[in-house]
């Protein structure tokens, strides 16, 4: 009993001292302009710090939704941009008129990578869009900064994509500023290194040049980014350059992509079949 009495007396004294301290702080904050401003500044800084941390946490949890919304907006913009180059015809610098024969060639669909492989001989991606979303075989798949692959097959809600990191990769490409095009293949070693072949060594090619799709394909739109020339060596035996291309994107980190439909693909494929039949 004596122990409890002593404990209560000590706690009571402690509470009394805390109360006195609180009253002192209150009078300083309300009666002294200097202390009022000092406490106000500290309080504002503390509130700002807490608010910033809360905002950061909310932003982190909202990132997936924000990324999906951004992809959808960008896809809509890409669809609009794909219309623009052909919509207007200028006979001279002072006259511009709408081309009545215009129709756009490419449509863009946003999607997300939900699974992938990188270290096999033949690699694939899985995306979360399928037939019910308008996805078909052979559609190109692009990231915001480069090419990812082409659709192999689709179910109602998902699609398998042949990665550019595949032994059968064969993409017609050119170096920015040059009209001559070659073939991009994957040597099968580094997931950020491709090879550009069939580029004659008499062409002016330099380290750092941009490599992009040539547009001579029914799947890939012209000018889709691939990477930059990172290694360059002339092969005297073949008369071509041996070119290593470092991709703009690390495919291990790609999540948001665009699936690209070439509206003219069926027509182009039919013409190519006719051409092959004639030349055989």
């Amino acid at each position: 009993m004596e122990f409890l009495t002593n404990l209560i007396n000590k706690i009571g004294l402690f509470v009394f001292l805390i109360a006195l301290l609180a009253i002192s702080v209150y009078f300083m904050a309300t009666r002294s302009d200097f202390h009022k401003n000092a406490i106000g500044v500290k309080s504002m800084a503390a509130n700002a710090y807490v608010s910033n941390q809360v905002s950061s946490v909310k932003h982190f949890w909202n990132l997936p939704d924000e990324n999906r919304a951004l992809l959808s907006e960008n896809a809509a913009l890409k669809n609009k941009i794909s219309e623009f180059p052909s919509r207007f015809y200028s006979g001279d610098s002072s006259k511009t008129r709408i081309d009545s024969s215009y129709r756009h060639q490419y449509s863009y669909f946003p999607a997300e990578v939900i699974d992938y492989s990188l270290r096999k001989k033949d690699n694939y991606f899985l995306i979360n869009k399928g037939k019910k979303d308008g996805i078909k075989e052979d559609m190109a798949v692009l990231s915001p900064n480069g090419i990812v692959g082409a659709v192999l097959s689709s179910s109602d809600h998902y699609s398998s994509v042949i990665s550019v990191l595949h032994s059968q990769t064969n993409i017609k490409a050119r170096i920015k500023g040059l009209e001559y095009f070659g073939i991009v293949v994957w040597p099968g070693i580094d997931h950020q290194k491709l090879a550009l072949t069939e580029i004659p060594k008499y062409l002016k090619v330099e380290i750092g040049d941009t490599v992009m799709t040539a547009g001579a394909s029914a799947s890939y739109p012209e000018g889709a980014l691939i990477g930059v020339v990172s290694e360059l060596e002339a092969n005297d035996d073949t008369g071509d350059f041996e070119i290593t291309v470092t991709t703009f994107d690390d495919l291990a980190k790609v999540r948001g992509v665009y699936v690209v439909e070439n509206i003219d693909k069926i027509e182009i494929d039919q013409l190519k079949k006719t051409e092959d039949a004639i030349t055989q």
Side-chain angles (χ1 to χ4, degrees):
M1 190 68 181
E2 185 179 353
F3 171 75
L4 290 174
T5 301
N6 291 335
L7 181 61
I8 291 171
N9 289 334
K10 290 180 180 179
I11 292 175
L13 181 61
F14 175 75
V15 171
F16 177 70
L17 290 174
I18 292 296
L20 285 179
L21 181 61
I23 292 170
S24 300
V25 170
Y26 172 77
F27 279 110
M28 276 196 307
T30 56
R31 299 297 176 87
S32 168
D33 290 338
F34 173 79
H35 289 97
K36 186 187 297 184
N37 291 335
I39 293 173
V41 169
K42 293 295 183 182
S43 177
M44 182 176 65
N47 287 336
Y49 175 79
V50 172
S51 297
N52 184 59
Q53 297 305 310
V54 171
S55 176
S56 297
V57 171
K58 287 182 178 178
H59 179 69
F60 175 80
W61 288 111
N62 289 333
L63 273 178
D65 291 335
E66 291 177 5
N67 287 338
R68 280 190 286 271
L70 186 59
L71 279 171
S72 296
E73 290 175 8
N74 285 344
L77 287 173
K78 285 178 178 290
N79 285 322
K80 291 292 184 183
I81 291 171
S82 71
E83 298 177 5
F84 183 78
S86 299
R87 292 196 67 172
F88 301 98
Y89 166 79
S90 179
D92 56 48
S93 59
S94 63
K95 295 180 181 179
T96 300
R97 66 180 177 82
I98 295 178
D99 180 2
S100 60
S101 65
Y102 160 74
R103 64 183 181 78
H104 76 281
Q105 185 176 350
Y106 296 100
S107 294
Y108 293 79
F109 304 87
E112 292 181 44
V113 174
I114 58 175
D115 194 15
Y116 64 91
S117 61
L118 292 174
R119 305 190 183 283
K120 300 177 182 178
K121 178 183 176 183
D122 297 323
N123 293 286
Y124 298 88
F125 283 81
L126 187 65
I127 60 174
N128 65 343
K129 294 294 175 69
K131 292 178 181 177
K132 290 192 174 182
D133 304 293
I135 308 303
K136 306 180 185 72
E137 293 180 8
D138 295 329
M139 283 187 178
V141 181
L142 311 179
S143 73
N145 297 312
I147 59 174
V148 173
V151 175
L152 173 66
S153 61
S154 296
S155 63
D156 284 346
H157 303 290
Y158 300 94
S159 296
S160 176
V161 178
I162 298 178
S163 172
V164 293
L165 309 178
H166 194 285
S167 63
Q168 300 302 312
T169 292
N170 192 334
I171 302 169
K172 291 182 179 179
R174 65 180 179 85
I175 294 170
K176 186 177 181 179
L178 300 178
E179 295 303 320
Y180 200 101
F181 66 81
I183 304 296
V184 164
V185 298
W186 184 51
I189 302 173
D190 189 326
H191 73 277
Q192 282 193 269
K193 304 286 186 182
L194 303 174
L196 177 59
T197 64
E198 301 182 19
I199 299 295
K201 66 178 184 178
Y202 62 78
L203 294 176
K204 186 179 180 181
V205 182
E206 298 179 351
I207 300 294
D209 283 350
T210 298
V211 179
M212 58 182 63
T213 55
S217 165
S219 297
Y220 292 98
E222 182 177 3
L225 296 175
I226 298 176
V228 296
V229 175
S230 55
E231 297 177 32
L232 178 66
E233 186 176 347
N235 188 322
D236 294 330
D237 294 332
T238 63
D240 293 336
F241 279 120
E242 293 181 357
I243 300 174
T244 298
V245 179
T246 298
T247 58
F248 285 116
D249 268 331
D250 181 347
L251 293 185
K253 299 177 181 179
V254 170
R255 293 297 177 268
V257 295
Y258 304 102
V259 185
V260 185
E261 178 185 17
N262 184 348
I263 297 171
D264 293 338
K265 184 180 186 308
I266 294 176
E267 183 178 346
I268 293 171
D269 286 342
Q270 288 175 344
L271 288 172
K272 285 187 174 182
K273 286 181 181 179
T274 302
E275 181 182 302
D276 292 340
I278 293 173
T279 56
Q280 284 180 354

